[in-house]
Amino acid sequence: MDVWQRDSRFKDFVSLKWASYDVQGGGIYIFKEKLKKLKADLKVWNKEVFGDVNLVSEELQKRINELDARDDDRGLEVSEREERRSLLADLNKAMFRQEAIMFQKQDRSG
């Protein structure tokens, strides 16, 4: 399944954007022009929502490593343990997105 479709905001985004396009002309022309506009908007949405998934994963892993080092030195406070737990969940989501994107790219090229 497409990684965008797994995001709960995707369908609403597409519906709202599609309805907002004011294109005049015949049916096929309107459809083609709306698709062009949607493609451009989806590129922006993808960058805003997903960003660079590799960079996001690296940054999350870096912060987790910092907390792990702190834990080894002196232990973590309750808030730091909660932060680490949250970061691990975010890292899991980011890694899932990376895998889904790689799978989609392989599927399209193969």
Side-chain angles (χ1 to χ4, degrees):
M1 177 179 238
D2 188 270
V3 72
W4 286 351
Q5 291 177 20
R6 290 182 184 261
D7 189 285
S8 61
R9 301 162 288 189
F10 175 73
K11 288 182 182 178
D12 287 339
F13 176 83
V14 170
S15 294
L16 290 171
K17 283 295 182 181
W18 189 266
S20 74
Y21 302 140
D22 184 24
V23 179
Q24 304 299 316
I28 296 295
Y29 175 79
I30 291 172
F31 182 72
K32 180 183 73 112
E33 291 302 308
K34 283 187 170 191
L35 280 179
K36 282 198 310 191
K37 290 175 183 273
L38 183 61
K39 180 180 179 182
D41 286 338
L42 282 170
K43 284 183 179 184
V44 173
W45 180 82
N46 181 63
K47 190 170 188 170
E48 290 173 355
V49 172
F50 294 107
D52 181 342
V53 291
N54 295 321
L55 181 61
V56 169
S57 292
E58 288 173 17
E59 290 174 356
L60 290 167
Q61 189 62 58
K62 180 181 175 184
R63 180 62 181 145
I64 290 167
N65 290 342
E66 290 170 0
L67 289 170
D68 286 346
R70 189 176 299 157
D71 192 21
D72 290 342
D73 288 343
R74 62 160 175 80
L76 295 177
E77 296 176 11
V78 173
S79 62
E80 292 171 320
R81 289 194 186 284
E82 289 296 322
E83 178 186 3
R84 186 177 183 284
R85 202 168 305 141
S86 177
L87 290 168
L88 286 170
D90 291 344
L91 180 60
N92 188 39
K93 290 176 192 173
M95 291 173 69
F96 173 79
R97 286 184 180 138
Q98 282 177 298
E99 289 176 18
I101 290 168
M102 286 184 352
F103 178 77
Q104 283 176 224
K105 287 180 181 180
Q106 289 174 352
D107 192 39
R108 289 180 185 149
S109 66

